[in-house]
Every structure is written in structure tokens, then in C-alpha cells.
Amino acid sequence: MHQTFDAALGINLLHANQQGANHNRAHFDQWGITCFNIMSSPGAGKTALLEKTLEAIAPDYHVAVIEGDMTTELDADRLRQYGVPVIAINTGRSCHLDAKMVAGGLHRLEQDYDPAQFDLVLVENVGNLVCPAEFEVGEHQKVALLSITEGEDKPLKYPVMFQEADCLLITKTDLAPYLDVDIAQIIANVRQMNSHVTIIPISVKTGEGLEDWYEWVRSQVSSAVIPVGCS
């Protein structure tokens, strides 16, 4: 588990981060922005999901992305092809985005745009099944991805991610015929950790479940938002 208390300095790191997250959340609320924190282990399909999501909803809503990676802007470059602002944050040796990093991304967004024009900010966190769930960034909703290739036991072995999630996407369902995995058991294990989470099995390759995901996204965007092109 990530160290959350620095005994030498006597500083509760999570408390300090929460203050920063509250500050970010206040900005999002002031600007009328809904923010999702999208989390998973490496390779679960976060960027591929965002590609499909931007393709589906960017024509209707003003969207920006804050893209976290330890190194490179490979994922950020993939998402820039969809014509939305993408702020890349390299975390170096850190295994997650924290509130201060995301605040830096918001300041960069402010330099080039009027933040009040955006409806939705998607934060793609660093690939890690533990640390991102511990550090809030100011999000309104936490979205977790779990690939069926990771096995049925991950919700039990890494509970915090699943306890914190508002929506869980079970990804790569098209691979189910080739794996010894029981999707129903994955769902049952998730329910042990979080009985209220919305669970949507999806496949980016086949399109299974994506419309349900898009509908969930739209339902979470502030009701005050008027889709682009509507009056």
C-alpha cells in the first residue's frame, strides 16, 4: 500500500492532498465542469476507451483531457487526434496523479482557454491499481476499468479501487471465449466491495456496452450543460 503518512515531518499526505482536491473541485464547480477520474492498472484499456468516448461525445460537449503518464506523451498524442485540448502530465517516478499535479494541468488549461467553455474534463490517471484510488484530484466521479485478462480476484486483492469507484467498466469482454474467466464472478466480487457501483461490461473492439457507457457519461454531466448545437 502507498505510504500515506510521513512520520518524520508529521504531515498527513492524504489530508494535504484532499485540501488540494477540494480546491480543484471548487474550480470545476465554479466553471460548470464535470470531472471524471479514470483509473486502472496498465493495459486495461483507458486510452482506447477515451478514443471511442471522444469520438462519440466530443461533437455534443466541450471536452478537455488531462493525461497522466510516468513518461512520454504517447497516449496524449493519440487523444489529440480527436481535436480536443489534451494537457499531458509526466509524473516521473510517481505512480499516480495527485491534486497538485492536476491543479497544474488546470492552470495550463486556463492559459490557453476559457475554462467556463468546457462541460467535461477527463483525467486519465497513471496505470496503477492501488495508488490512484487513494489520492483524489477534485473529480466528481471515479471511473475504474478492470480487464478480464487481469482475473476474477483483483477486486478482492485490491479493494480500494473498487470501493471508491462510481462506475466500473469490465473491459476486453471480446476475449472471454479464449480465457478461463467468469465475468459473473468478477461482478460478484466487485459487489462484495461496493454494492452501489454501476458496472458496465464493454469491448472497445466489438462495441459491446459502449452505448451504455456513453449514456452513463451523459447522465453525469451537469444538467445545466446544454449540448453543443442545441438551444
Side-chain angles (χ1 to χ4, degrees):
M1 184 173 179
H2 196 285
Q3 179 95 5
T4 59
F5 186 81
D6 189 326
L9 297 177
I11 297 174
N12 187 321
L13 300 180
L14 284 180
H15 178 71
N17 183 80
Q18 187 61 55
Q19 289 183 315
N22 293 342
H23 183 75
N24 291 346
R25 177 73 171 268
H27 278 304
F28 287 132
D29 291 344
Q30 176 187 352
W31 296 326
I33 292 173
T34 299
C35 177
F36 295 167
N37 186 1
I38 301 175
M39 306 173 291
S40 78
S41 59
K46 294 188 300 299
T47 308
L49 173 73
L50 288 184
E51 288 179 311
K52 291 292 187 180
T53 303
L54 292 176
E55 185 177 40
I57 72 169
D60 298 321
Y61 297 96
H62 293 296
V63 185
V65 178
I66 295 177
E67 175 64 43
D69 256 320
M70 295 182 75
T71 61
T72 81
E73 293 192 15
L74 294 175
D75 290 345
D77 288 340
R78 285 172 58 180
L79 299 179
R80 288 180 178 123
Q81 298 180 51
Y82 294 86
V84 303
V86 179
I87 307 298
I89 299 176
N90 287 145
T91 64
R93 297 180 65 180
S94 180
C95 59
H96 62 277
L97 290 173
D98 62 21
K100 185 175 181 180
M101 294 175 192
V102 170
L106 293 180
H107 290 317
R108 287 164 58 186
L109 193 66
E110 282 187 276
Q111 291 175 2
D112 297 325
Y113 303 93
D114 172 12
Q117 73 178 283
F118 293 103
D119 307 314
L120 178 64
V121 168
L122 301 169
V123 177
E124 182 176 356
N125 220 307
V126 178
N128 187 299
L129 205 54
V130 180
C131 302
E134 295 184 316
F135 288 81
E136 292 195 10
V137 299
E139 69 274 16
H140 296 91
Q141 302 289 340
K142 293 182 174 69
V143 178
L145 279 66
L146 177 67
S147 167
I148 66 168
T149 60
E150 297 175 71
E152 302 157 359
D153 59 351
K154 295 304 179 291
L156 306 178
K157 294 176 66 175
Y158 303 94
V160 176
M161 177 74 72
F162 303 95
Q163 291 166 347
E164 294 291 325
D166 298 290
C167 180
L168 172 71
L169 303 178
I170 300 176
T171 65
K172 304 187 181 181
T173 56
D174 55 285
L175 296 178
Y178 311 103
L179 300 173
D180 183 17
V181 62
D182 184 346
I183 295 177
Q185 187 60 55
I186 293 176
I187 293 173
N189 289 345
V190 171
R191 290 291 183 211
Q192 287 189 53
M193 301 297 103
N194 185 340
S195 62
H196 302 295
V197 63
T198 297
I199 300 176
I200 307 174
I202 68 167
S203 167
V204 169
K205 183 175 181 179
T206 67
E208 176 192 353
L210 289 181
E211 288 299 329
D212 292 335
W213 158 245
Y214 303 149
E215 184 58 34
W216 187 88
V217 171
R218 294 185 180 104
S219 74
Q220 299 303 315
V221 176
S222 171
S223 60
V225 169
I226 300 176
V228 176
C230 296
S231 58

